[in-house]
Amino acid sequence: MRGLVLLAALVAAAAGTETFVGHQVLRIIPTSDEELQKVQELQDLEELQLDFWLAPRGLGHPVDVRVPFPSLQPLKAHLEANGVSYSIMIEDVQELLDQEQMEMLRGRRQMPITTNTFNYASYHSLDEIYTFMDLLVAENPNLVSKLEIGRSTENRPLYVLKFSKGGTNRPAVWIDTGIHSREWVTQASGVWFAKQIVLDHENDKDLASVLDKMDIFLEIVTNPDGFAFTQTQNRMWRKTRSKQSGSICVGVDPNRNWDAGFGGSGASGNPCSETYHGPYANSEPEVKAIVDFVKNHGNIKAFVSIHSYSQLLLYPYGYTRTPVPDQKELHEVSAKAVAALSSLYGTNYKYGSIITTIYQASGGTIDWTYNQGIKYSFTFELRDTGRYGFLLPAKQIVPTAQETWLALKVLMLHARDHLN
Amino acid sequence: KLTEGMLNRSGPKTQPWGTPLLTGHQSDLTPFTTTLWAQPSNHFFTQRSVCPSKPRAASFGRRMLWETLSKENAGSCLATVLYRRTKSSPVVNIKCMHTKDQKQVQEEDNRLYQKIRHQTKPIIGNNIPDSYGHIEPALEPAWALAVTGSSYMMWEKSTESLGYFLAQVKSVKQWIRKDDFIEFDYTVLLHEVPTQEIISCHMRLTWLPGHPLKVKYFCASENQGLEDGSGMESGSAAGILHGKGANF
């Protein structure tokens, strides 16, 4: 936020309209109702030309105000006379602007510089996540590579990170997050998983043993068009952004577009519906890209598609009540995975087949992958159970990712132990 | 009394193979006086193989979990409702456990009320929580009341095949009244399952501690006119029946 304001100021300064020499930014933290009132009153003193970077919100909340040089003495005297304490956050705004300008001219952007300075406990834009991927690859070229498996409807690249210790076409684990764009904790968790694999690939014996035999593929933003739309237009957007002929409505539910019971009960034929299955299976490039990848790879052994919310671990089928042949094994592995997940923070998960645990859903991802022969096909529904739903507070991102990772490791280890 | 009233409101549908319903919410600040929300869980068939379009089950049951709102350990009631296809009255079994006494409940309600009354300006806000799950502290009381009012709305709307969650409070505007009642006008977004639709509802809510919360609402997808929330009794479900608890 401050960066933006400084930038705006810089532009103004560059245009020769404003200079901030001698301006200071003061911080006031009101601790009593009187103090708060005094600070609120400052907002009405137009002649001081105060610029509130953080407006008064309430007791204990910092108030940041940029004070033009001529107003400094009067304002400070006023504050001191009224017993309002303050600190000087920025001694000279112009100096800071000059510094920033130098940095900008050196070509550095407001992006994270390394994956160590990346903030995993906050939600990021598509650009920031794509930048993160490139940084991760650049920092770990022997372990991580980035593949483009296709393009979205709006021509955004579909990137998959590959984690591999070598070999050729090793058996692999696939993990995708963000197929439904409004489920923000999933993309955020995907970013965290990527970093975690890099951090732990040698010292965590479980992960190391998985990577000794298998590759891990991770698609963090599986639906980038939808994701961009949730950032700019509609936070609650779920589907892709493909135009539907004969309708004003946009988008297909990418988790109803797979060729497994496609078009059956558990999806909608109405383009305006959130569960619209699309005109035909794999009509969505986001889905087709994964289908092609899986078929071409031919050696994927475990497939995990991550959603939110509800706190569930699910295995096929969603489109039919017929249990999968491997039901018993998948149920047992799920129990172990959920136990591992809960062990960290006590988060409660239920598990079972899609149709018996939530509802009938046709054309779903893991029904298709299972029918392709990928036995260990699972879907997660991450935190929470409805308190915040899609709008999960950022401070829950890391705990969610941490506990989910424990469950993922159980699944990956099981797959590794059952390679034939 | 209240329980039976709510049961009578909606009878069984003919297609029970739809979905489990999850409705409801819990918040630290929601007033105790607003009563119940329903969290029906998985329906189950008594017969093993059922063709979805022509259920041959002789009966099906649906568990519904009703809990009092607000803080954890305020108290909870668990109700089993068994609908029979024979259309006789559903069999209800309720077990309640109170862990907080009325006095404490009242005090907390009053604190919330005072918090709202002491605002110097009418409360106005948008996007609560925001995209990042953050709720401005100044808007928490208004949000808490929205949760309460919405839970009533969601209870009314939910059926055997449709359930709801409160996705977001899109906007809130406080109406200052001459009397002591607190009044808020909301636009809320409901997340509907299993359709996954986001339903926009307009909700008008009035409250005074010790009085039933009054909720009037209109949801965009509906064709009906303004729906009246009937006044709700204070405290938890009226008539604490200690029946034989079913196994859950």
Side-chain angles (χ1 to χ4, degrees), chain B residues 192-218:
Chain B
E192 185 180 75
V193 285
T195 62
Q196 297 296 333
E197 302 295 330
I198 302 291
I199 313 286
S200 180
C201 299
H202 176 217
M203 180 172 71
R204 177 73 64 111
L205 184 157
T206 32
W207 180 55
L208 184 64
H211 288 70
L213 194 84
K214 275 201 159 62
V215 179
K216 275 179 156 63
Y217 66 91
F218 175 74

PDB file of all heavy atoms in Angstrom, chain B residues 192-218:
ATOM      1  N   GLU B 192     -24.872 -21.994  -2.073  1.00  0.00           N
ATOM      2  CA  GLU B 192     -25.875 -23.060  -2.104  1.00  0.00           C
ATOM      3  C   GLU B 192     -25.218 -24.360  -2.552  1.00  0.00           C
ATOM      4  O   GLU B 192     -24.471 -24.397  -3.521  1.00  0.00           O
ATOM      5  CB  GLU B 192     -26.982 -22.663  -3.092  1.00  0.00           C
ATOM      6  CG  GLU B 192     -28.177 -23.617  -3.160  1.00  0.00           C
ATOM      7  CD  GLU B 192     -29.215 -23.142  -4.178  1.00  0.00           C
ATOM      8  OE1 GLU B 192     -28.955 -23.294  -5.396  1.00  0.00           O
ATOM      9  OE2 GLU B 192     -30.272 -22.631  -3.759  1.00  0.00           O
ATOM     10  N   VAL B 193     -25.487 -25.432  -1.792  1.00  0.00           N
ATOM     11  CA  VAL B 193     -24.979 -26.735  -2.202  1.00  0.00           C
ATOM     12  C   VAL B 193     -26.160 -27.672  -2.456  1.00  0.00           C
ATOM     13  O   VAL B 193     -27.169 -27.580  -1.758  1.00  0.00           O
ATOM     14  CB  VAL B 193     -24.025 -27.334  -1.151  1.00  0.00           C
ATOM     15  CG1 VAL B 193     -22.688 -26.633  -1.188  1.00  0.00           C
ATOM     16  CG2 VAL B 193     -24.608 -27.303   0.236  1.00  0.00           C
ATOM     17  N   PRO B 194     -26.051 -28.620  -3.393  1.00  0.00           N
ATOM     18  CA  PRO B 194     -24.867 -28.907  -4.191  1.00  0.00           C
ATOM     19  C   PRO B 194     -24.777 -28.102  -5.483  1.00  0.00           C
ATOM     20  O   PRO B 194     -23.878 -28.337  -6.274  1.00  0.00           O
ATOM     21  CB  PRO B 194     -25.068 -30.394  -4.545  1.00  0.00           C
ATOM     22  CG  PRO B 194     -26.554 -30.511  -4.696  1.00  0.00           C
ATOM     23  CD  PRO B 194     -27.150 -29.576  -3.672  1.00  0.00           C
ATOM     24  N   THR B 195     -25.708 -27.187  -5.701  1.00  0.00           N
ATOM     25  CA  THR B 195     -25.696 -26.462  -6.972  1.00  0.00           C
ATOM     26  C   THR B 195     -24.464 -25.575  -7.124  1.00  0.00           C
ATOM     27  O   THR B 195     -24.114 -25.199  -8.237  1.00  0.00           O
ATOM     28  CB  THR B 195     -26.930 -25.552  -7.095  1.00  0.00           C
ATOM     29  OG1 THR B 195     -26.873 -24.584  -6.040  1.00  0.00           O
ATOM     30  CG2 THR B 195     -28.218 -26.340  -7.008  1.00  0.00           C
ATOM     31  N   GLN B 196     -23.836 -25.203  -5.992  1.00  0.00           N
ATOM     32  CA  GLN B 196     -22.658 -24.328  -5.989  1.00  0.00           C
ATOM     33  C   GLN B 196     -22.987 -22.892  -6.385  1.00  0.00           C
ATOM     34  O   GLN B 196     -22.077 -22.084  -6.604  1.00  0.00           O
ATOM     35  CB  GLN B 196     -21.552 -24.885  -6.901  1.00  0.00           C
ATOM     36  CG  GLN B 196     -21.010 -26.229  -6.477  1.00  0.00           C
ATOM     37  CD  GLN B 196     -20.326 -26.172  -5.134  1.00  0.00           C
ATOM     38  OE1 GLN B 196     -19.825 -25.129  -4.741  1.00  0.00           O
ATOM     39  NE2 GLN B 196     -20.317 -27.269  -4.405  1.00  0.00           N
ATOM     40  N   GLU B 197     -24.268 -22.592  -6.451  1.00  0.00           N
ATOM     41  CA  GLU B 197     -24.636 -21.226  -6.825  1.00  0.00           C
ATOM     42  C   GLU B 197     -24.401 -20.253  -5.681  1.00  0.00           C
ATOM     43  O   GLU B 197     -24.456 -20.637  -4.506  1.00  0.00           O
ATOM     44  CB  GLU B 197     -26.120 -21.153  -7.220  1.00  0.00           C
ATOM     45  CG  GLU B 197     -26.500 -22.067  -8.371  1.00  0.00           C
ATOM     46  CD  GLU B 197     -25.838 -21.700  -9.680  1.00  0.00           C
ATOM     47  OE1 GLU B 197     -25.553 -20.498  -9.901  1.00  0.00           O
ATOM     48  OE2 GLU B 197     -25.582 -22.601 -10.505  1.00  0.00           O
ATOM     49  N   ILE B 198     -24.172 -19.016  -6.047  1.00  0.00           N
ATOM     50  CA  ILE B 198     -24.073 -17.938  -5.063  1.00  0.00           C
ATOM     51  C   ILE B 198     -25.365 -17.136  -5.179  1.00  0.00           C
ATOM     52  O   ILE B 198     -25.672 -16.568  -6.230  1.00  0.00           O
ATOM     53  CB  ILE B 198     -22.859 -17.033  -5.330  1.00  0.00           C
ATOM     54  CG1 ILE B 198     -21.567 -17.837  -5.308  1.00  0.00           C
ATOM     55  CG2 ILE B 198     -22.803 -15.891  -4.318  1.00  0.00           C
ATOM     56  CD1 ILE B 198     -21.156 -18.378  -3.959  1.00  0.00           C
ATOM     57  N   ILE B 199     -26.124 -17.144  -4.104  1.00  0.00           N
ATOM     58  CA  ILE B 199     -27.437 -16.491  -4.108  1.00  0.00           C
ATOM     59  C   ILE B 199     -27.326 -15.177  -3.345  1.00  0.00           C
ATOM     60  O   ILE B 199     -26.804 -15.141  -2.228  1.00  0.00           O
ATOM     61  CB  ILE B 199     -28.479 -17.378  -3.386  1.00  0.00           C
ATOM     62  CG1 ILE B 199     -28.410 -18.826  -3.852  1.00  0.00           C
ATOM     63  CG2 ILE B 199     -29.883 -16.793  -3.527  1.00  0.00           C
ATOM     64  CD1 ILE B 199     -28.981 -19.075  -5.208  1.00  0.00           C
ATOM     65  N   SER B 200     -27.841 -14.121  -3.954  1.00  0.00           N
ATOM     66  CA  SER B 200     -27.803 -12.821  -3.292  1.00  0.00           C
ATOM     67  C   SER B 200     -29.121 -12.575  -2.574  1.00  0.00           C
ATOM     68  O   SER B 200     -30.192 -12.745  -3.147  1.00  0.00           O
ATOM     69  CB  SER B 200     -27.563 -11.732  -4.339  1.00  0.00           C
ATOM     70  OG  SER B 200     -27.525 -10.477  -3.718  1.00  0.00           O
ATOM     71  N   CYS B 201     -29.039 -12.224  -1.305  1.00  0.00           N
ATOM     72  CA  CYS B 201     -30.253 -11.994  -0.524  1.00  0.00           C
ATOM     73  C   CYS B 201     -30.185 -10.641   0.156  1.00  0.00           C
ATOM     74  O   CYS B 201     -29.127 -10.214   0.625  1.00  0.00           O
ATOM     75  CB  CYS B 201     -30.410 -13.049   0.568  1.00  0.00           C
ATOM     76  SG  CYS B 201     -30.554 -14.734  -0.047  1.00  0.00           S
ATOM     77  N   HIS B 202     -31.336 -10.021   0.242  1.00  0.00           N
ATOM     78  CA  HIS B 202     -31.451  -8.772   0.971  1.00  0.00           C
ATOM     79  C   HIS B 202     -32.108  -9.106   2.307  1.00  0.00           C
ATOM     80  O   HIS B 202     -33.130  -9.787   2.348  1.00  0.00           O
ATOM     81  CB  HIS B 202     -32.303  -7.801   0.155  1.00  0.00           C
ATOM     82  CG  HIS B 202     -32.565  -6.518   0.865  1.00  0.00           C
ATOM     83  ND1 HIS B 202     -33.758  -5.856   0.784  1.00  0.00           N
ATOM     84  CD2 HIS B 202     -31.779  -5.787   1.689  1.00  0.00           C
ATOM     85  CE1 HIS B 202     -33.707  -4.764   1.534  1.00  0.00           C
ATOM     86  NE2 HIS B 202     -32.521  -4.695   2.078  1.00  0.00           N
ATOM     87  N   MET B 203     -31.515  -8.637   3.378  1.00  0.00           N
ATOM     88  CA  MET B 203     -32.014  -9.012   4.702  1.00  0.00           C
ATOM     89  C   MET B 203     -32.145  -7.778   5.584  1.00  0.00           C
ATOM     90  O   MET B 203     -31.220  -6.979   5.678  1.00  0.00           O
ATOM     91  CB  MET B 203     -31.046 -10.028   5.319  1.00  0.00           C
ATOM     92  CG  MET B 203     -31.420 -10.510   6.697  1.00  0.00           C
ATOM     93  SD  MET B 203     -30.357 -11.867   7.239  1.00  0.00           S
ATOM     94  CE  MET B 203     -28.813 -11.048   7.527  1.00  0.00           C
ATOM     95  N   ARG B 204     -33.282  -7.672   6.238  1.00  0.00           N
ATOM     96  CA  ARG B 204     -33.497  -6.575   7.200  1.00  0.00           C
ATOM     97  C   ARG B 204     -33.683  -7.201   8.567  1.00  0.00           C
ATOM     98  O   ARG B 204     -34.496  -8.105   8.727  1.00  0.00           O
ATOM     99  CB  ARG B 204     -34.749  -5.782   6.770  1.00  0.00           C
ATOM    100  CG  ARG B 204     -35.177  -4.658   7.689  1.00  0.00           C
ATOM    101  CD  ARG B 204     -34.310  -3.442   7.675  1.00  0.00           C
ATOM    102  NE  ARG B 204     -34.268  -2.716   6.420  1.00  0.00           N
ATOM    103  CZ  ARG B 204     -34.807  -1.513   6.247  1.00  0.00           C
ATOM    104  NH1 ARG B 204     -35.467  -0.927   7.215  1.00  0.00           N
ATOM    105  NH2 ARG B 204     -34.680  -0.909   5.092  1.00  0.00           N
ATOM    106  N   LEU B 205     -32.935  -6.683   9.517  1.00  0.00           N
ATOM    107  CA  LEU B 205     -32.856  -7.359  10.808  1.00  0.00           C
ATOM    108  C   LEU B 205     -33.044  -6.345  11.932  1.00  0.00           C
ATOM    109  O   LEU B 205     -32.459  -5.271  11.898  1.00  0.00           O
ATOM    110  CB  LEU B 205     -31.464  -7.986  10.863  1.00  0.00           C
ATOM    111  CG  LEU B 205     -30.955  -8.858  11.962  1.00  0.00           C
ATOM    112  CD1 LEU B 205     -29.826  -9.699  11.379  1.00  0.00           C
ATOM    113  CD2 LEU B 205     -30.393  -8.044  13.091  1.00  0.00           C
ATOM    114  N   THR B 206     -33.888  -6.693  12.907  1.00  0.00           N
ATOM    115  CA  THR B 206     -34.024  -5.810  14.072  1.00  0.00           C
ATOM    116  C   THR B 206     -33.816  -6.637  15.337  1.00  0.00           C
ATOM    117  O   THR B 206     -34.257  -7.791  15.418  1.00  0.00           O
ATOM    118  CB  THR B 206     -35.415  -5.150  14.167  1.00  0.00           C
ATOM    119  OG1 THR B 206     -36.380  -6.032  13.624  1.00  0.00           O
ATOM    120  CG2 THR B 206     -35.454  -3.840  13.416  1.00  0.00           C
ATOM    121  N   TRP B 207     -33.175  -5.996  16.320  1.00  0.00           N
ATOM    122  CA  TRP B 207     -32.836  -6.740  17.526  1.00  0.00           C
ATOM    123  C   TRP B 207     -32.758  -5.860  18.758  1.00  0.00           C
ATOM    124  O   TRP B 207     -32.315  -4.707  18.687  1.00  0.00           O
ATOM    125  CB  TRP B 207     -31.478  -7.442  17.334  1.00  0.00           C
ATOM    126  CG  TRP B 207     -31.023  -8.232  18.520  1.00  0.00           C
ATOM    127  CD1 TRP B 207     -31.703  -9.222  19.159  1.00  0.00           C
ATOM    128  CD2 TRP B 207     -29.785  -8.082  19.210  1.00  0.00           C
ATOM    129  NE1 TRP B 207     -30.961  -9.722  20.184  1.00  0.00           N
ATOM    130  CE2 TRP B 207     -29.787  -9.040  20.260  1.00  0.00           C
ATOM    131  CE3 TRP B 207     -28.685  -7.249  19.066  1.00  0.00           C
ATOM    132  CZ2 TRP B 207     -28.717  -9.180  21.132  1.00  0.00           C
ATOM    133  CZ3 TRP B 207     -27.610  -7.399  19.947  1.00  0.00           C
ATOM    134  CH2 TRP B 207     -27.642  -8.361  20.968  1.00  0.00           C
ATOM    135  N   LEU B 208     -33.201  -6.418  19.843  1.00  0.00           N
ATOM    136  CA  LEU B 208     -33.007  -5.846  21.170  1.00  0.00           C
ATOM    137  C   LEU B 208     -32.811  -7.039  22.098  1.00  0.00           C
ATOM    138  O   LEU B 208     -33.587  -8.000  22.034  1.00  0.00           O
ATOM    139  CB  LEU B 208     -34.243  -5.037  21.586  1.00  0.00           C
ATOM    140  CG  LEU B 208     -34.183  -4.292  22.922  1.00  0.00           C
ATOM    141  CD1 LEU B 208     -33.104  -3.205  22.876  1.00  0.00           C
ATOM    142  CD2 LEU B 208     -35.538  -3.651  23.227  1.00  0.00           C
ATOM    143  N   PRO B 209     -31.763  -7.002  22.920  1.00  0.00           N
ATOM    144  CA  PRO B 209     -31.543  -8.161  23.798  1.00  0.00           C
ATOM    145  C   PRO B 209     -32.798  -8.478  24.591  1.00  0.00           C
ATOM    146  O   PRO B 209     -33.476  -7.582  25.074  1.00  0.00           O
ATOM    147  CB  PRO B 209     -30.420  -7.696  24.725  1.00  0.00           C
ATOM    148  CG  PRO B 209     -29.718  -6.634  23.971  1.00  0.00           C
ATOM    149  CD  PRO B 209     -30.749  -5.959  23.127  1.00  0.00           C
ATOM    150  N   GLY B 210     -33.084  -9.767  24.692  1.00  0.00           N
ATOM    151  CA  GLY B 210     -34.274 -10.178  25.419  1.00  0.00           C
ATOM    152  C   GLY B 210     -35.484 -10.278  24.523  1.00  0.00           C
ATOM    153  O   GLY B 210     -36.532 -10.773  24.931  1.00  0.00           O
ATOM    154  N   HIS B 211     -35.334  -9.788  23.289  1.00  0.00           N
ATOM    155  CA  HIS B 211     -36.443  -9.887  22.330  1.00  0.00           C
ATOM    156  C   HIS B 211     -36.054 -10.815  21.188  1.00  0.00           C
ATOM    157  O   HIS B 211     -34.873 -10.964  20.889  1.00  0.00           O
ATOM    158  CB  HIS B 211     -36.758  -8.516  21.741  1.00  0.00           C
ATOM    159  CG  HIS B 211     -37.416  -7.588  22.700  1.00  0.00           C
ATOM    160  ND1 HIS B 211     -36.749  -7.041  23.774  1.00  0.00           N
ATOM    161  CD2 HIS B 211     -38.681  -7.127  22.766  1.00  0.00           C
ATOM    162  CE1 HIS B 211     -37.579  -6.271  24.448  1.00  0.00           C
ATOM    163  NE2 HIS B 211     -38.756  -6.304  23.862  1.00  0.00           N
ATOM    164  N   PRO B 212     -37.036 -11.415  20.547  1.00  0.00           N
ATOM    165  CA  PRO B 212     -36.698 -12.269  19.410  1.00  0.00           C
ATOM    166  C   PRO B 212     -36.100 -11.428  18.283  1.00  0.00           C
ATOM    167  O   PRO B 212     -36.527 -10.289  18.057  1.00  0.00           O
ATOM    168  CB  PRO B 212     -38.036 -12.855  18.969  1.00  0.00           C
ATOM    169  CG  PRO B 212     -39.062 -12.399  19.938  1.00  0.00           C
ATOM    170  CD  PRO B 212     -38.486 -11.352  20.803  1.00  0.00           C
ATOM    171  N   LEU B 213     -35.138 -12.012  17.590  1.00  0.00           N
ATOM    172  CA  LEU B 213     -34.551 -11.343  16.436  1.00  0.00           C
ATOM    173  C   LEU B 213     -35.588 -11.358  15.314  1.00  0.00           C
ATOM    174  O   LEU B 213     -36.184 -12.380  15.038  1.00  0.00           O
ATOM    175  CB  LEU B 213     -33.309 -12.116  15.990  1.00  0.00           C
ATOM    176  CG  LEU B 213     -32.382 -11.417  15.021  1.00  0.00           C
ATOM    177  CD1 LEU B 213     -31.427 -10.521  15.797  1.00  0.00           C
ATOM    178  CD2 LEU B 213     -31.556 -12.433  14.246  1.00  0.00           C
ATOM    179  N   LYS B 214     -35.789 -10.221  14.707  1.00  0.00           N
ATOM    180  CA  LYS B 214     -36.751 -10.186  13.596  1.00  0.00           C
ATOM    181  C   LYS B 214     -35.987 -10.118  12.281  1.00  0.00           C
ATOM    182  O   LYS B 214     -35.140  -9.259  12.087  1.00  0.00           O
ATOM    183  CB  LYS B 214     -37.659  -8.967  13.729  1.00  0.00           C
ATOM    184  CG  LYS B 214     -38.858  -9.193  14.628  1.00  0.00           C
ATOM    185  CD  LYS B 214     -39.955  -8.175  14.323  1.00  0.00           C
ATOM    186  CE  LYS B 214     -41.318  -8.650  14.788  1.00  0.00           C
ATOM    187  NZ  LYS B 214     -41.390  -8.845  16.257  1.00  0.00           N
ATOM    188  N   VAL B 215     -36.298 -11.035  11.415  1.00  0.00           N
ATOM    189  CA  VAL B 215     -35.588 -11.112  10.134  1.00  0.00           C
ATOM    190  C   VAL B 215     -36.586 -11.069   8.996  1.00  0.00           C
ATOM    191  O   VAL B 215     -37.512 -11.874   8.946  1.00  0.00           O
ATOM    192  CB  VAL B 215     -34.783 -12.426  10.042  1.00  0.00           C
ATOM    193  CG1 VAL B 215     -34.068 -12.509   8.690  1.00  0.00           C
ATOM    194  CG2 VAL B 215     -33.783 -12.532  11.168  1.00  0.00           C
ATOM    195  N   LYS B 216     -36.381 -10.127   8.093  1.00  0.00           N
ATOM    196  CA  LYS B 216     -37.165 -10.099   6.853  1.00  0.00           C
ATOM    197  C   LYS B 216     -36.152 -10.239   5.735  1.00  0.00           C
ATOM    198  O   LYS B 216     -35.105  -9.604   5.759  1.00  0.00           O
ATOM    199  CB  LYS B 216     -37.868  -8.758   6.696  1.00  0.00           C
ATOM    200  CG  LYS B 216     -39.202  -8.634   7.392  1.00  0.00           C
ATOM    201  CD  LYS B 216     -39.741  -7.217   7.134  1.00  0.00           C
ATOM    202  CE  LYS B 216     -41.236  -7.082   7.245  1.00  0.00           C
ATOM    203  NZ  LYS B 216     -41.814  -7.362   8.542  1.00  0.00           N
ATOM    204  N   TYR B 217     -36.476 -11.065   4.732  1.00  0.00           N
ATOM    205  CA  TYR B 217     -35.479 -11.246   3.684  1.00  0.00           C
ATOM    206  C   TYR B 217     -36.122 -11.511   2.343  1.00  0.00           C
ATOM    207  O   TYR B 217     -37.273 -11.908   2.254  1.00  0.00           O
ATOM    208  CB  TYR B 217     -34.523 -12.383   4.041  1.00  0.00           C
ATOM    209  CG  TYR B 217     -35.159 -13.743   4.091  1.00  0.00           C
ATOM    210  CD1 TYR B 217     -35.206 -14.560   2.966  1.00  0.00           C
ATOM    211  CD2 TYR B 217     -35.713 -14.216   5.272  1.00  0.00           C
ATOM    212  CE1 TYR B 217     -35.797 -15.811   3.012  1.00  0.00           C
ATOM    213  CE2 TYR B 217     -36.306 -15.466   5.331  1.00  0.00           C
ATOM    214  CZ  TYR B 217     -36.337 -16.259   4.204  1.00  0.00           C
ATOM    215  OH  TYR B 217     -36.927 -17.497   4.268  1.00  0.00           O
ATOM    216  N   PHE B 218     -35.323 -11.296   1.319  1.00  0.00           N
ATOM    217  CA  PHE B 218     -35.744 -11.585  -0.047  1.00  0.00           C
ATOM    218  C   PHE B 218     -34.509 -11.992  -0.820  1.00  0.00           C
ATOM    219  O   PHE B 218     -33.538 -11.252  -0.896  1.00  0.00           O
ATOM    220  CB  PHE B 218     -36.379 -10.347  -0.688  1.00  0.00           C
ATOM    221  CG  PHE B 218     -36.722 -10.552  -2.130  1.00  0.00           C
ATOM    222  CD1 PHE B 218     -37.805 -11.341  -2.485  1.00  0.00           C
ATOM    223  CD2 PHE B 218     -35.957  -9.994  -3.134  1.00  0.00           C
ATOM    224  CE1 PHE B 218     -38.126 -11.560  -3.817  1.00  0.00           C
ATOM    225  CE2 PHE B 218     -36.271 -10.193  -4.476  1.00  0.00           C
ATOM    226  CZ  PHE B 218     -37.353 -10.985  -4.814  1.00  0.00           C
TER     227      PHE B 218
END
